[in-house]
Amino acid sequence: MSVADNHEWQQHFKSWLTRTASAADDITDSGIRRIRRRFGREGVPKIQPYMGYASTDFIHLHGRVLTNPPISADYQSDRWWRNLSNAIQRFVSDEVPGVTVEATLDGQRATTTSDAEGYFHLELPRSESRDHVFWDIATLRILNHPRARRQSDRASCGVLSVPPDARYAIISDVDDTILHTGATDIATMAKLTFFGNARTRAPLDGVAELYEHLQRDTHGVPTNPIFYVSSSPWNLYDLLEDFLELNAIPRGPLLLRDLGFDENKFLKSGHDHKLDKARRLIKTFDQLPFLLFGDSGQEDARLYAAAAAEFPKRIHGIFIRDIDPDLVSNHDAKVDQYVRKSAEVGVPMYLVKDSTQAAEIAIEHGWLTPEAITPIQNATRRDVKRPEA
């Protein structure tokens, strides 16, 4: 068997194995739901909303229908066993397929149906008379489900609306770009995921101040949208949303990944879904240039260089955080090749050691005003001295 034939056979086998596992997963979920119905243990469906965003023509909303959505955590008193219990609940999700969900905003309405994993996506026509409010709120509710309850069948969903005077949009990775995850070390990553919470997770030094200045205009008004992409599963959505709030990092839509066996889901290897999400955002907001932020620990440099090759006039700059700034490592060498590839299409890519260096480069390009450097420097120095939680 030739090398090409062997590779093709491996790809066919991998695809077959994925489809088989996906089918088994669906059958198992369906069987569990039948048993619960038989014993009257179905649970009450509730909506877990995800932050949405408004484009020129549509308001994009999504979320999930579960009978066990994440509970609000008490970050001051939670201990490791409570964090572990919450983490297990996040991953043992009890999704509800086939539920009709209605969304309302500015008098516009739309409905959709949750899929086999409980996820739903819908688009509302954007009202022509809609005011340009940076953050708005849409209302979601469950329609005509026999177990829905009036007091729990509704949810509010934050909607990011890009104002006409936005100068650029930001796409930022999460893991080891704004949040210490130890993504290059499986043991460390598992420990942080299962035994920590949003309060114990540490942000990158100075990142809150850097992103706040990037988001705001010269008058301090939130103007430039930030979108967060991550290989983390949607099961961690509430933890990441709380992390942004607790650490005063500007909020923005979190675009995560489904946890499942399908070809396009979390158990598939690689991080290319982040490129797909970046591509969709760049096409959706076709009047805005983009700044991209990632880290050197995973595939961000490769993915962003690919985006630069596809959209060289739309991407104005790429920042890659060095996960080991005190060392010359294989990560640096890997990034260097994509720095060169990005430069070939006219898009600068920078390997930066911290938020201060990123701010200095942004000021040189006019993406930040010179006045931003002092507070970002101070915040970076302060965070370096921050005790571990």
Side-chain angles (χ1 to χ4, degrees):
M1 181 182 292
S2 67
V3 174
D5 289 339
N6 184 57
H7 177 72
E8 183 177 357
W9 178 85
Q10 289 179 345
Q11 290 299 108
H12 282 306
F13 178 75
K14 180 180 177 182
S15 179
W16 172 84
L17 186 62
T18 301
R19 291 195 305 271
T20 302
S22 178
D25 183 45
D26 290 343
I27 292 170
T28 300
D29 287 345
S30 178
I32 291 173
R33 284 193 290 269
R34 285 198 301 270
I35 292 172
R36 285 174 175 160
R37 282 197 301 269
R38 180 173 300 176
F39 290 95
R41 301 289 298 275
E42 285 183 271
V44 177
K46 304 177 184 67
I47 296 172
Q48 182 186 17
Y50 304 143
M51 278 183 278
Y53 57 89
S55 59
T56 303
D57 300 317
F58 294 99
I59 297 167
H60 306 264
L61 302 174
H62 55 155
R64 199 176 190 191
V65 182
L66 303 166
T67 63
N68 62 339
I71 60 174
S72 297
D74 180 358
Y75 297 117
Q76 297 304 317
S77 61
D78 276 359
R79 298 294 183 263
W80 69 265
W81 55 86
R82 179 62 64 83
N83 295 332
L84 177 60
S85 174
N86 291 341
I88 292 173
Q89 180 179 334
R90 290 187 184 100
F91 285 96
V92 186
S93 56
D94 188 7
E95 62 272 3
V96 189
V99 174
T100 301
V101 177
E102 179 190 67
T104 308
L105 180 61
D106 287 341
Q108 303 289 339
R109 295 176 183 271
T111 60
T112 190
T113 303
S114 59
D115 67 14
E117 297 292 331
Y119 294 102
F120 63 87
H121 305 267
L122 51 78
E123 294 180 345
L124 284 171
R126 184 167 179 173
S127 172
E128 294 182 1
S129 60
R130 187 172 189 270
D131 294 333
H132 288 287
V133 180
F134 197 66
W135 280 105
D136 210 336
I137 298 177
T139 299
L140 303 170
R141 70 181 182 118
I142 295 172
L143 295 180
N144 303 323
H145 191 280
R147 297 191 65 83
R149 300 292 181 267
R150 173 72 63 178
Q151 64 272 24
S152 61
D153 66 357
R154 287 168 170 76
S156 297
C157 177
V159 178
L160 172 66
S161 180
V162 180
D165 55 345
R167 296 175 56 220
Y168 49 76
I170 296 165
I171 297 175
S172 173
D173 179 47
V174 173
D175 305 334
D176 292 316
T177 301
I178 65 170
L179 165 67
H180 283 292
T181 63
T184 57
D185 182 339
I186 296 298
T188 299
M189 186 176 180
K191 177 182 177 182
L192 291 172
T193 299
F194 289 101
F195 296 97
N197 59 39
R199 183 182 64 82
T200 62
R201 307 297 288 273
L204 272 292
D205 301 331
V207 70
E209 196 76 23
L210 172 64
Y211 280 24
E212 182 178 348
H213 280 83
L214 285 168
Q215 186 187 70
R216 296 178 180 274
D217 64 14
T218 56
H219 302 291
V221 177
T223 303
N224 305 312
I226 302 178
F227 300 91
Y228 298 97
V229 298
S230 174
S231 292
S232 295
W234 285 108
N235 306 64
L236 297 181
Y237 179 87
D238 68 302
L239 185 147
L240 295 177
E241 186 178 42
D242 289 346
F243 169 81
L244 294 177
E245 181 178 354
L246 289 170
N247 291 283
I249 298 173
R251 65 174 177 156
L254 286 154
L255 306 176
L256 309 182
R257 195 172 184 179
D258 190 5
L259 180 62
F261 290 93
D262 291 356
E263 291 272 0
N264 63 337
K265 292 183 180 179
F266 181 70
L267 296 184
K268 180 183 176 184
S269 61
H271 301 269
D272 286 18
H273 74 100
K274 291 194 286 189
L275 176 58
D276 294 337
K277 288 179 170 61
R279 183 183 289 119
R280 189 177 306 123
L281 289 169
I282 292 169
K283 290 180 177 179
T284 297
F285 297 97
D286 56 3
Q287 302 301 313
L288 281 177
F290 278 76
L291 303 178
L292 311 183
F293 284 78
D295 68 271
S296 64
Q298 297 181 335
E299 299 293 325
D300 294 341
R302 175 181 66 84
L303 298 174
Y304 288 169
E310 187 172 349
F311 305 99
K313 296 186 182 301
R314 300 291 313 288
I315 298 174
H316 283 195
I318 300 171
F319 295 84
I320 302 295
R321 279 186 176 268
D322 192 341
I323 65 167
D324 47 11
D326 299 324
L327 301 173
V328 176
S329 67
N330 292 334
H331 297 299
D332 301 336
K334 183 173 66 175
V335 172
D336 284 345
Q337 63 177 310
Y338 296 114
V339 169
R340 293 192 295 272
K341 288 185 177 181
S342 185
E344 289 173 0
V345 296
V347 178
M349 178 186 291
Y350 302 97
L351 181 64
V352 296
K353 65 178 182 178
D354 59 19
S355 296
T356 295
Q357 186 178 8
E360 291 169 347
I361 294 168
I363 290 170
E364 289 177 6
H365 285 277
W367 301 322
L368 283 178
T369 62
E371 293 76 20
I373 190 63
T374 298
I376 294 172
Q377 286 175 330
N378 292 339
T380 303
R381 286 193 292 263
R382 179 200 65 214
D383 290 350
V384 167
K385 299 176 181 177
R386 177 183 51 221
E388 293 187 8

